[in-house]
Amino acid sequence: MPLENGKESEKEEIVDHNQTDIKIDEAHDDEEIASKSSERSGEEEEYKIDKLFYQICYFCFILGVNFYRNRCPKKRFISMSIVLVICSINIYFVGYVAYLCLSKKFDADRVATSISIGTWILQATLSTFFLAWWQYTSQPCRLLKLLFEANKGLGIRHHRKSIIAIVRTFYAVLGLGVFYYVILIITNLFEYKVGFVDDEIHMVFGDRRLFIIVQLANLYCILCWGVALFIFSLLIHSTYYEFVYYNEQVKSLLPRDKCQSILEPVCGCDHSVEHTCTIQPQEVECDYEFQTDDALCNYLIKLIKIHNRLTEVVQRLDKMFNRYAFVMIATIIPTSLFSLFMVFRGNICLDLLFSCPLVFFCIFSFFALVNAPSELHDTIYNTKSALCANTNIWFPYRPNVYHSALAFVCHLDQTNLGVSIWGFAVVSKPLVLTTLSVMVTCLALFLQLGDCNSS
């Protein structure tokens, strides 16, 4: 994913007060706050996009899912052919599994296993199509550029350790997925039956030995599933950290007489290259002081402008991920339910060995799909609470400051901001709680029906 790096100035400006400011690019806004502009001189460094985000494209290049429009048409055609052939094999396999479920006599364990396998492969195949479309339209690149332009990537820089943890988790999950499928391929080569898998599934091409073609196609799409899920989680978490940092700045608005010395983590690393980041605390003076009420009013207006930019990023996120979130959640729910059904019904250790990894992938996928969007929605809503809770803005009563803050509050009154499920509902914590309660109820019902069928 080619991302444009900003031009880094030769010397970084040294400021006496190191508590990070919220700045925007317009030159006339810097002139509005005279007390601030006199303290700053020289050009502001344009923050480079972190190299961590480049690790997304590495896997896309390895997998061949590279459809950027500026790429050679011949190479794009080869990549498209590979993806279409593999996805066609997987779609045929899902249809064959559905045919076996409907044509054979009902057996709860066999049907649950077949549905779990079929829906997971269907989810991985659809993720491959979504990943290819994102690459073709360059949406991740554009969204990252817009995100860094909103507030110079300050929130991402301050929460870089959390982003590194997301990247490492991604590596671990992909490694477990590959290891799990290698075991399944080995068991198929030795013709060993694992769990309640229907024996006829391995005869999808008429010969059990040819089933390895389907397994390799499945493995390819599962890797694409992991990359797509990683892009989804990383971009939403990055936006979430930007809003967290923005909310901290709203809470930290103080008049001149209430400024205090604080300890702030200061990092001198250049995050445009990959290396170990060491953050040292440094005592600094509070920077959010305003000589006049007009300066405070102008700064509130600047906060509104930055919030507009962050809001545009959220809208782009929703436009990019709303269909993906709908499809993934719609397929992960039945996969999770029937995988748990297999775990509770399994009696042999080898059966559990087959079912438990699938349950782990389902739980991880569901958590990744709902955790980041719900946290983002909650943080966006908390911006209004942070502004209202800052009594230094509201008291003592100053008409011009009060009216500016009131306009800011009205601007923040946008309850529908967040990643939606294809426009039906915004992913939020109450929605996640409701979904989990319904899933538990359905699982209890399926277990009861399975016991009745056995007896």
Side-chain angles (χ1 to χ4, degrees):
M1 183 172 57
L3 298 174
E4 298 180 356
N5 290 341
K7 295 181 178 179
E8 184 180 8
S9 58
E10 295 180 356
K11 295 184 180 180
E12 183 179 2
E13 178 188 4
I14 301 177
V15 189
D16 293 335
H17 41 272
N18 288 326
Q19 185 168 355
T20 312
D21 298 335
I22 297 181
K23 302 182 181 117
I24 53 180
D25 295 332
E26 288 81 4
H28 64 83
D29 285 328
D30 293 334
E31 297 176 358
E32 290 177 356
I33 303 179
S35 62
K36 292 285 182 180
S37 60
S38 61
E39 298 175 0
R40 299 182 179 90
S41 59
E43 293 184 359
E44 178 181 289
E45 176 188 3
E46 184 178 356
Y47 181 67
K48 285 188 174 183
I49 293 179
D50 202 307
K51 283 291 185 180
L52 282 173
F53 296 100
Y54 283 86
Q55 299 187 22
I56 302 174
C57 65
Y58 298 155
F59 285 92
C60 295
F61 294 154
I62 293 173
L63 295 174
V65 189
N66 187 4
F67 298 98
Y68 287 111
R69 298 181 182 181
N70 57 353
R71 196 185 179 206
C72 175
K74 184 178 180 180
K75 293 182 179 179
R76 277 196 301 168
F77 176 76
I78 295 175
S79 298
M80 185 180 298
S81 301
I82 294 174
V83 170
L84 288 178
V85 169
I86 292 177
C87 291
S88 299
I89 294 174
N90 286 331
I91 292 174
Y92 172 74
F93 173 71
V94 172
Y96 180 75
V97 172
Y99 169 76
L100 291 179
C101 291
L102 297 174
S103 61
K104 298 181 68 174
K105 184 180 178 180
F106 178 79
D107 179 70
D109 298 328
R110 179 184 58 81
V111 170
T113 305
S114 299
I115 292 177
S116 299
I117 296 174
T119 52
W120 194 31
I121 299 304
L122 177 62
Q123 181 183 129
T125 305
L126 294 175
S127 297
T128 305
F129 284 123
F130 277 109
L131 181 62
W133 175 251
W134 296 340
Q135 295 289 311
Y136 178 73
T137 57
S138 301
Q139 293 186 53
C141 177
R142 295 176 181 176
L143 196 145
L144 268 177
K145 185 176 183 297
L146 187 65
L147 180 61
F148 274 87
E149 287 176 350
N151 200 14
K152 303 297 181 184
L154 296 175
I156 297 174
R157 186 189 306 185
H158 280 249
H159 296 86
R160 193 171 189 269
K161 288 186 177 180
S162 300
I163 297 179
I164 293 175
I166 294 175
V167 175
R168 291 175 179 173
T169 304
F170 162 72
Y171 290 149
V173 172
L174 277 188
L176 288 175
V178 172
F179 179 72
Y180 176 63
Y181 248 83
V182 167
I183 292 178
L184 293 182
I185 292 174
I186 293 175
T187 56
N188 175 66
L189 293 177
F190 287 97
E191 298 185 359
Y192 185 84
K193 182 178 179 181
V194 180
F196 302 105
V197 179
D198 193 344
D199 292 333
E200 294 188 17
I201 289 181
H202 302 90
M203 307 298 294
V204 59
F205 289 133
D207 191 338
R208 187 184 179 101
R209 291 173 296 180
L210 296 178
F211 187 66
I212 189 174
I213 299 176
V214 177
Q215 290 180 315
L216 292 176
N218 294 346
L219 178 60
Y220 179 87
C221 286
I222 287 173
L223 290 174
C224 293
W225 162 82
V227 175
L229 192 62
F230 174 59
I231 293 176
F232 175 84
S233 179
L234 188 63
L235 291 181
I236 296 181
H237 270 104
S238 300
T239 309
Y240 161 72
Y241 292 136
E242 288 293 332
F243 268 99
V244 169
Y245 182 82
Y246 180 80
N247 291 351
E248 291 174 355
Q249 309 314 307
V250 174
K251 293 178 183 178
S252 302
L253 287 173
L254 296 175
R256 182 187 178 99
D257 57 346
K258 294 188 178 182
C259 288
Q260 301 174 357
S261 297
I262 59 174
L263 288 177
E264 183 192 66
V266 177
C267 175
C269 300
D270 179 13
H271 294 298
S272 61
V273 295
E274 294 186 66
H275 59 274
T276 305
C277 176
T278 304
I279 298 180
Q280 300 292 339
Q282 180 175 340
E283 186 174 351
V284 296
E285 293 295 329
C286 175
D287 187 38
Y288 293 104
E289 56 180 75
F290 299 92
Q291 303 290 343
T292 62
D293 292 344
D294 290 338
L296 179 57
C297 293
N298 292 335
Y299 198 80
L300 289 173
I301 294 174
K302 292 179 69 176
L303 288 176
I304 294 176
K305 291 182 179 180
I306 296 176
H307 190 268
N308 278 335
R309 294 184 178 183
L310 292 175
T311 300
E312 185 181 355
V313 174
V314 176
Q315 292 172 349
R316 289 284 187 93
L317 278 174
D318 182 44
K319 185 178 180 181
M320 177 179 176
F321 291 129
N322 57 4
R323 295 176 179 84
Y324 173 79
F326 174 80
V327 172
M328 292 299 105
I329 293 177
T331 53
I332 200 60
I333 290 177
T335 309
S336 302
L337 288 176
F338 290 108
S339 300
L340 290 171
F341 180 85
M342 289 190 298
V343 170
F344 290 124
R345 297 274 296 178
N347 298 321
I348 306 175
C349 293
L350 290 177
D351 296 341
L352 296 178
L353 184 63
F354 168 77
S355 304
C356 288
L358 187 57
V359 172
F360 167 77
F361 290 124
C362 291
I363 294 175
F364 173 81
S365 177
F366 182 79
F367 179 78
L369 286 170
V370 300
N371 176 62
S374 60
E375 290 287 347
L376 176 62
H377 179 267
D378 192 50
T379 306
I380 294 174
Y381 184 79
N382 287 339
T383 305
K384 183 177 179 180
S385 302
L387 180 64
C388 294
N390 194 335
T391 57
N392 300 303
I393 298 176
W394 305 98
F395 303 104
Y397 175 75
R398 294 154 292 180
N400 52 350
V401 176
Y402 182 84
H403 292 151
S404 299
L406 190 60
F408 196 4
V409 171
C410 295
H411 174 78
L412 295 175
D413 194 13
Q414 305 178 53
T415 57
N416 60 340
L417 280 179
V419 179
S420 65
I421 309 174
W422 208 351
F424 291 104
V426 177
V427 180
S428 59
K429 291 182 178 180
L431 180 65
V432 175
L433 181 61
T434 304
T435 304
L436 289 176
S437 63
V438 173
M439 289 176 62
V440 172
T441 304
C442 290
L443 178 61
L445 178 62
F446 292 157
L447 290 174
Q448 185 65 32
L449 291 177
D451 293 337
C452 293
N453 182 70
S454 300
S455 60

